[in-house]
Amino acid sequence: MSYIPTYDSLDAIYDKSFVAKQGARYQALLDKFEQTYHRKPDFIARSPGRVNLIGEHIDYCGFGVLPMAVDRDVVMAVATTNDDTKVRVANVNSKYPSREFDYEGVEKIVTIDSSSLEWSNYFKCGYKGMLERAQLKKPKGMFVLVDGNVPAGSGLSSSAAFCCTSALTVITANELKMTKQELTEIAIVAERNVGVNSGGMDQSASVLSEQGFALHVEFVPKLKAVPVKLPETQPKLAFVIANTLVTADKFVTGPRNYNLRVVETKVGALCLSRALKLAKPVDTYKEVCDSYFSGQDVSQDEQLKKMLSVADQVFTNTTGYTRSEMAELSGVAEDELVKEYMTRFPVETDVFRLHQRAIHVFGEALRVIQFGNVCANPPTDSNQVYKQLGGLMNQSQESCSKLFNCSCPELDELTALARETGAEGSRLTGAGWGGCTVSLVREDQVSEFIATIKEKYYKKHFPELSEDQLDDAILATKPCSGSAVFTGF
């Protein structure tokens, strides 16, 4: 069993190129803590944000994805007391007012008003989730100072990082024995207290990541995360995350975008189930694969190549299918399809593009495996490593844009500009329709790359941005470690 590590050196948490900057940040946190609470902290807990390197819109189809933890994180300095069970939470950013709440007993723990946009709710999420598991009669009182540098709303999972860190403060303050897997599972459920229904990728990457590794996260038959060592190259690999600063309101656009893609993939799986004469109909493409190849000794990549061919043969109408045509192809009555898949989350469309969505899902799932294979057996020539990994990222972007239609003009512009500026690969990351890109860049070109993107994208579209805002909009990162406790002060 793997427990949350405690370190006395920042080198164990961050890539050495970030250590000096983080050292100054941690010292400022310690100084501010003493100023605020007139005592020294007992420990510092931290959990990082994440970026998904490859594997877009395939998690809800049952396939694995490949995120990594970034150096941007949520850090909390904590002192404990036996005098009471109160929690005092302050933030180094004065925009977030200090809060105080008390433990409300084993049954209730703490009240969270999810209808309110209140920053301390994210702390309460982790606190409540952990104490629901621990069932303590009298948890320690805590003095907490928060410093988070994961840009909010950037698609880097600042909320998951916050929730994981607050849960970790409860574990550490109360000397609970808790594995990484348990912390991950608790954080996944806990974030639902603020209305975020998460599949688990964000929390897995935040807690389970290791320095220098990405993470292959699978969801079927159960949540499983395996570290993937990124290749050693000359110059070293670096990833640059750039935010388009375009956001899609999921509530407004969901019926045409996200919700519609879920329906197209689920009904598509039903259609393939029938075409392949599976024992029973299933509505995820991973289940189609598992059922069709059950008992056969066929590698995952060969399975996916076969399914690409099957999808081409079954979904011959590349213009799109009507509801009645989908009913005929799936063998499910039209009113049943609507009731099961289009009632709770309504959709708006002229036709359902089953062919394009299936080709994207099977192709993207294959690219995740191929990316992992390059990492496991990298070419000796660094240029080939960059070419192969970058090529897969570029193919992913092309598929997201042309087949899954989850890109947007700004994402297309930013990924194209990134390649022109020297990135070996660049793709959207997160759900798409706005949000961030991730680009594979040689470490020695990062500074020049960022300066050019600032000039040619941000100064052009957002000339009013300050330098601090620009630094939040585009940032270089490397795979850092997951959740940890720091005591080296």
Side-chain angles (χ1 to χ4, degrees):
M1 286 188 293
S2 184
Y3 293 96
I4 304 295
T6 296
Y7 298 123
D8 60 8
S9 168
L10 293 177
D11 297 64
I13 300 173
Y14 303 100
D15 185 88
K16 64 182 180 183
S17 59
F18 298 128
V19 167
K21 188 175 180 181
Q22 290 293 351
R25 177 182 172 221
Y26 274 57
Q27 189 55 55
L29 180 68
L30 293 169
D31 293 344
K32 181 75 173 173
F33 187 95
E34 287 195 56
Q35 264 182 347
T36 305
Y37 294 120
H38 311 293
R39 64 183 70 207
K40 292 181 185 293
D42 299 318
F43 63 88
I44 293 175
R46 54 83 60 184
S47 297
R50 67 94 189 102
V51 63
N52 194 22
L53 296 180
I54 197 160
E56 225 57 70
H57 284 281
I58 61 174
D59 52 348
Y60 53 80
C61 301
F63 292 109
V65 295
L66 201 76
M68 74 173 197
V70 298
D71 65 293
R72 296 293 183 106
D73 54 11
V74 174
V75 178
M76 298 184 188
V78 182
T80 63
T81 178
N82 292 315
D83 295 343
D84 58 36
T85 55
K86 289 181 181 175
V87 177
R88 304 105 180 138
V89 189
N91 198 305
V92 295
N93 187 335
S94 58
K95 160 181 169 183
Y96 303 109
S98 298
R99 300 297 189 210
E100 182 177 306
F101 63 88
D102 205 349
Y103 179 61
E104 296 176 40
V106 174
E107 291 301 315
K108 199 168 186 183
I109 297 172
V110 68
T111 302
I112 301 174
D113 178 7
S114 61
S115 66
S116 159
L117 283 173
E118 164 56 47
W119 78 275
S120 63
N121 278 350
Y122 288 98
F123 186 92
K124 289 179 178 179
C125 274
Y127 179 85
K128 182 170 184 167
M130 191 50 65
L131 288 178
E132 280 174 342
R133 173 72 69 95
Q135 292 287 291
L136 299 179
K137 288 202 166 48
K138 190 189 174 191
K140 296 276 184 81
M142 292 194 290
F143 300 84
V144 183
L145 182 61
V146 179
D147 178 12
N149 64 5
V150 186
S154 63
L156 301 183
S157 295
S158 56
S159 61
F162 202 120
C163 194
C164 291
T165 310
S166 64
L168 182 53
T169 66
V170 179
I171 293 174
T172 311
N174 293 282
E175 299 175 9
L176 304 173
K177 204 76 173 158
M178 202 77 67
T179 65
K180 289 182 179 182
Q181 185 73 20
E182 287 174 306
L183 172 56
T184 304
E185 289 166 0
I186 289 164
I188 291 167
V189 175
E191 209 175 331
R192 292 171 188 162
N193 286 316
V194 283
V196 178
N197 192 4
S198 167
M201 173 179 72
D202 301 346
Q203 294 81 2
S204 297
S206 190
V207 176
L208 302 169
S209 290
E210 297 176 24
Q211 192 179 153
F213 289 79
L215 203 66
H216 185 226
V217 183
E218 295 181 278
F219 306 93
V220 176
K222 64 178 185 177
L223 187 67
K224 178 185 171 190
V226 178
V228 175
K229 177 72 175 168
L230 291 171
E232 295 288 341
T233 56
Q234 288 299 328
K236 288 186 175 182
L237 301 174
F239 293 94
V240 176
I241 301 159
N243 193 341
T244 60
L245 301 179
V246 172
T247 56
D249 185 326
K250 287 179 185 173
F251 182 78
V252 174
T253 65
R256 314 189 280 285
N257 293 339
Y258 189 89
N259 299 350
L260 177 59
R261 299 304 180 277
V262 174
V263 170
E264 288 170 322
T265 57
K266 285 192 172 295
V267 175
L270 287 175
C271 296
L272 286 196
S273 298
R274 187 176 188 225
L276 294 170
K277 298 181 170 61
L278 300 185
K280 65 172 186 174
V282 292
D283 67 1
T284 71
Y285 282 129
K286 179 69 165 67
E287 289 175 300
V288 171
C289 266
D290 290 347
S291 180
Y292 184 69
F293 292 102
S294 178
Q296 300 180 49
D297 185 19
V298 183
S299 66
Q300 272 193 305
D301 53 346
E302 288 304 318
Q303 289 183 26
L304 291 164
K305 288 173 185 174
K306 171 67 176 174
M307 296 314 296
L308 282 164
S309 172
V310 168
D312 256 340
Q313 293 163 22
V314 174
F315 300 127
T316 54
N317 181 352
T318 55
T319 305
Y321 292 82
T322 63
R323 286 179 180 177
S324 61
E325 288 169 338
M326 288 198 305
E328 186 180 345
L329 200 58
S330 66
V332 179
E334 185 178 342
D335 58 345
E336 282 299 310
L337 278 182
V338 172
K339 181 182 174 186
E340 182 66 26
Y341 297 105
M342 305 175 215
T343 303
R344 187 177 170 203
F345 298 107
V347 297
E348 296 169 10
T349 186
D350 51 348
V351 288
F352 296 79
R353 293 164 176 81
L354 303 187
H355 176 269
Q356 292 89 331
R357 310 318 184 212
I359 298 299
H360 168 78
V361 170
F362 291 126
E364 187 77 348
L366 179 59
R367 283 185 283 276
V368 171
I369 292 169
Q370 291 170 332
F371 198 102
N373 289 343
V374 175
C375 292
N377 300 288
T380 51
D381 180 357
S382 291
N383 288 326
Q384 281 301 310
V385 175
Y386 274 102
K387 185 176 179 183
Q388 290 180 27
L389 295 182
L392 290 166
M393 292 173 72
N394 291 336
Q395 289 168 31
S396 172
Q397 174 59 24
E398 179 75 4
S399 182
C400 284
S401 180
K402 301 293 196 305
L403 294 174
F404 219 70
N405 303 116
C406 61
S407 191
C408 66
E410 293 83 0
L411 283 167
D412 291 338
E413 177 187 351
L414 199 44
T415 52
L417 179 59
R419 290 184 208 109
E420 288 168 20
T421 309
E424 295 289 343
S426 187
R427 59 178 294 277
L428 65 85
T429 184
W433 298 293
C436 285
T437 64
V438 58
S439 301
L440 175 61
V441 181
R442 295 166 193 265
E443 187 182 53
D444 60 351
Q445 295 178 7
V446 164
S447 296
E448 186 181 342
F449 177 88
I450 288 176
T452 303
I453 300 294
K454 282 181 177 179
E455 192 61 39
K456 292 189 174 179
Y457 180 80
Y458 293 105
K459 295 283 173 69
K460 172 182 163 188
H461 294 292
F462 305 98
E464 73 284 0
L465 292 183
S466 68
E467 277 306 311
D468 283 349
Q469 288 171 318
L470 282 171
D471 289 342
D472 271 351
I474 182 166
L475 53 108
T477 191
K478 294 177 185 176
C480 290
S481 76
S483 297
V485 175
F486 179 69
T487 54
F489 53 89

